C-alpha cells in the first residue's frame, strides 16, 4: 500500500522521547514514520502521497471513563441537565415533554438533574412526578447516576412500599414513615436495572443506531477511543453486533459490571481484558467501592466542624432551609475512633481483596471506583496486598480519586494505579463544592499533587455525568475555574502539556493499549486529530475556541469539520 505523508503546521506526538515533528507517514492504518519532512519522505519513498494540513496534528483523544452504552441507550430521552437556578416545575415540564414524545405503557427514564442546582435545593418527590406522569413507571436519574427518583407507579413496579427494607448499601428515602420516591446508590441501581431491562428488549436496533450517532459525535470532538465504565451483560451482544456491522465509529473498551446492579461485579466466566472484537474489546473489570455525592470520606472533628459552619453561614446569608437541606445530603455521619466518616465503602477489606483476585484470575485488569479519601485509602490497601495484579494485563485503575488528603497521592503512586480523573467536574460542580465548604486539608481533583507524586493521569468525562468536550476539560485542568469563574485549589493546576498527555498517552495506559495507541510513533495505530490552532501557545481560557478540523481512525479521515 502506498504511504500517505501528512505534513502540518506543527505535530505534537505526545511521546516524551520525540515530542514534536513536522510530518507523519501512515500506511495500512499504522504510523510508519514520524519526524522531519525530509526524514519522513525518505522513509515513505518516492511514490508516497503528500498531504499538507493547515493545522496542528496530535494523537486522537481518549476518554478513559465514558458511559457509552448508557449514553446511546438514553440518547432519545429529553435531557434533564437544567440550568442552575431552575425549579422543580422546570424539571416537571421536561418530564411532561418526554411523556408526550414516548407513547406506550412501559417504563420511562430520563437523566441529568442536579438537586443542588435546583432552586429548592432538593430532589423532586414521587408526588411531584405523579403530577406529570402517573400512569407509567418513571425513573428520573440525577446527573451522577448514583441516585434518582421514582414516581408512585415506579415504586409499585419495584415492589417497594413504606415497610420495605433498604437494600444493602442503598437507601429508600422516607419522610414521616412514607417513601418520598428518592432512591440512593444500591436502591437506585436496582431501579435503573429494572427500567433498562424493560426497555432494552424492544430497542436493540434503536441502540445500534444511537451508538453509531453517538460515536460520530465523539469523532467531531476528536475522541477516537473510550472506556465504557459500566457495561451490563445485556449490552454485550449489542456491542458484538455493532462491531460486526461497522457501527462503532470509535473503539469502545467495555468494562463489565453485573446485570441487576452496577454494584455487582461480573463473576467467573467473563471475558478477559482485551478479548472480543477490535472495535469493542473487553476492558477492565469494574468494582464500585463508594458512591458519588455520598462518597466514603473520613474527616477530623475540625474538618467536619468547618463543613457545618459553611452550611450554617450559607443558610444565614440567604440560603435558608434550602441550604440546610443541601448540607444534609452528604449522608450519615459516624464517629470512628477519633475521626468522623461520611458515607461508607461498599466492600469490606477482605471481600475487596477476594473480588480483585477473582477478576485477576479471569485475566481482567482492575478498575476501582473510589471517589472519597476513605475509599481511596481502602483501595490502595487492597491493591498493595494482592500480588496477583502484577501478572495481569494493564495497570490497576482508580476511577475518580477525587477527594484526597495529603499523602494519598503517594499511596496511589506506590500501588502502581492510574488515576482516571475528570477535570471538567471542576466546572460542573466546583461552585457547589465551594458552597458546601470543602474542609481544609481535603482537595478536589488534586491533579498537580498526583502528577508530582508520579501518578499517571488518564483524562475522562464520565459522560453523560458531565460534558465530554476534551478541550473544555483541559481548560478546567489548567485554569481550575468553576462555572462562576471562581478558582478551586488553583495550586492543583497542571500544564497544558500534562493535560493533553492525560487525554492521549495517559488514557492509553489506563486502557492497557499504550503499546499501540496514545502517541504518534512508528508502528502505532494512526488515530489522529487536527486542531485549528496550536493549543500549547493558546491562552488557556481560549482553548475551547480551538476547532477540531478533522479526525482519523486507523489512518482514514473519518470526520471533517463543516
Amino acid at each position: 500500500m502506498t504511504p500517505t505523508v501528512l505534513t502540518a503546521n506543527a505535530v505534537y506526538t505526545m511521546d516524551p522521547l520525540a515530542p514534536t515533528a513536522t510530518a507523519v507517514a501512515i500506511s495500512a492504518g499504522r504510523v510508519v514514520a514520524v519526524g522531519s519532512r525530509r526524514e519522513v519522505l525518505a522513509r515513505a519513498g518516492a511514490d508516497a502521497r503528500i498531504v499538507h494540513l493547515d493545522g496542528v496534528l496530535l494523537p486522537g483523544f481518549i476518554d478513559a471513563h465514558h458511559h457509552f452504552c448508557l449514553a446511546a441507550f438514553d440518547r432519545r430521552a429529553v435531557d434533564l441537565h437544567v440550568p442552575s437556578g431552575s425549579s422543580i416545575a422546570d424539571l416537571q415540564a421536561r418530564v411532561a415533554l418526554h411523556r408526550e414524545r414516548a407513547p406506550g405503557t412501559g417504563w420511562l427514564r430520563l437523566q441529568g438533574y442536579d438537586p443542588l442546582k435546583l432552586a429548592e435545593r432538593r430532589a423532586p418527590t414521587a408526588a411531584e412526578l405523579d403530577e406529570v406522569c402517573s400512569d407509567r413507571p418513571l425513573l428520573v436519574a440525577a446527573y451522577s447516576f448514583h441516585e434518582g427518583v421514582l414516581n408512585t407507579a415506579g415504586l409499585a413496579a419495584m415492589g417497594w412500599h413504606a415497610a420495605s427494607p433498604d437494600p444493602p448499601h442503598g437507601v429508600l428515602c422516607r419522610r414521616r414513615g412514607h417513601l418520598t420516591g428518592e432512591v440512593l446508590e444500591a436502591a437506585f441501581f436496582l431501579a435503573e436495572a429494572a427500567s433498562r431491562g424493560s426497555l432494552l428488549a424492544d430497542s436493540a436496533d434503536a441502540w445500534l443506531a444511537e451508538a453509531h450517532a453517538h460515536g460520530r459525535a465523539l469523532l467531531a470532538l476528536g475522541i477516537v477511543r473510550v472506556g465504557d465504565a459500566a457495561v451490563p451483560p445485556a449490552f454485550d451482544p449489542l456491542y458484538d453486533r455493532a462491531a460486526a456491522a461497522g457501527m462503532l465509529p470509535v473503539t469502545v473498551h467495555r468494562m463489565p459490571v453485573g446485570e441487576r446492579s452496577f454494584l455487582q461485579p461480573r463473576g467467573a466466566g467473563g471475558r478477559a481484558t482485551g478479548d472480543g472484537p477490535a472495535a469493542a474489546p473487553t476492558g477492565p473489570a469494574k468494582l464500585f467501592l463508594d458512591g458519588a455525592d455520598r462518597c466514603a470520606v473520613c474527616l477530623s472533628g475540625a474538618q467536619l466542624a468547618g463543613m457545618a459552619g459553611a452550611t450554617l453561614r450559607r443558610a444565614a446569608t440567604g440560603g435558608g432551609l434550602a441550604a440546610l437541606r443541601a448540607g444534609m445530603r452528604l449522608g450519615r455521619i459516624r464517629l470512628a475512633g477519633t475521626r468522623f466518616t461520611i458515607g461508607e465503602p461498599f466492600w469490606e477489606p477482605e471481600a475487596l481483596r477476594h473480588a480483585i483476585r477473582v477478576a485477576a484470575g479471569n485475566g481482567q485488569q482492575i478498575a476501582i471506583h473510589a471517589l472519597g479519601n476513605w475509599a481511596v485509602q481502602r483501595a490502595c490497601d487492597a491493591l498493595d496486598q494482592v500480588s496477583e495484579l502484577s501478572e495481569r494485563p494493564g495497570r490497576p485503575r482508580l476511577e475518580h480519586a477525587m477527594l484526597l488528603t495529603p499523602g494519598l497521592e503517594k499511596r496511589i503512586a506506590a500501588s502502581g494505579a492510574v488515576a482516571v480523573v475528570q477535570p471538567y467536574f471542576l466546572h460542573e460542580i466546583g461552585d457547589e463544592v465551594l458552597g458546601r465548604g470543602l474542609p481544609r486539608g481535603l482537595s478536589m481533583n488534586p491533579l498537580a499533587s498526583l502528577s508530582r507524586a508520579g501518578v499517571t493521569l488518564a483524562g475522562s468525562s464520565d459522560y453523560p455525568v458531565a460534558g465530554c468536550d476534551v478541550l473544555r476539560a483541559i481548560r478546567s485542568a489548567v485554569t481550575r475555574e468553576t462555572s462562576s469563574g471562581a478558582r478551586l485549589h488553583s495550586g492543583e493546576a497542571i500544564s497544558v502539556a500534562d493535560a493533553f498527555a492525560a487525554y492521549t498517552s495517559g488514557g492509553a495506559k489506563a486502557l492497557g493499549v499504550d503499546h499501540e495507541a496514545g502517541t504518534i510513533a512508528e508502528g502505532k495505530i494512526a488515530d489522529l486529530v487536527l486542531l485549528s490552532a496550536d493549543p500549547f501557545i493558546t491562552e488557556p481560557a481560549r482553548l475551547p475556541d480551538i476547532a477540531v478540523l478533522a479526525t482519523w481512525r486507523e489512518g482514514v479521515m473519518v470526520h471533517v469539520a463543516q
Side-chain angles (χ1 to χ4, degrees), residues 355-364 366 388 392:
I356 293 173
R357 289 190 184 101
V358 169
N362 290 334
Q364 294 173 324
I366 309 299
E388 293 93 331
R392 296 300 131 197

Side-chain angles (χ1 to χ4, degrees), residues 13 29 55 65 71 99 101 124 137 169 186 205 228 279 291 335 346 371 408 413 421 423 434 451 513 525:
T13 69
H65 182 124
R99 172 69 183 84
R101 291 179 176 178
H169 308 303
D205 290 342
D228 189 340
L335 179 63
F346 298 153
L371 196 150
L408 264 181
V421 297
L434 288 171
S451 184
V513 293
I525 297 171

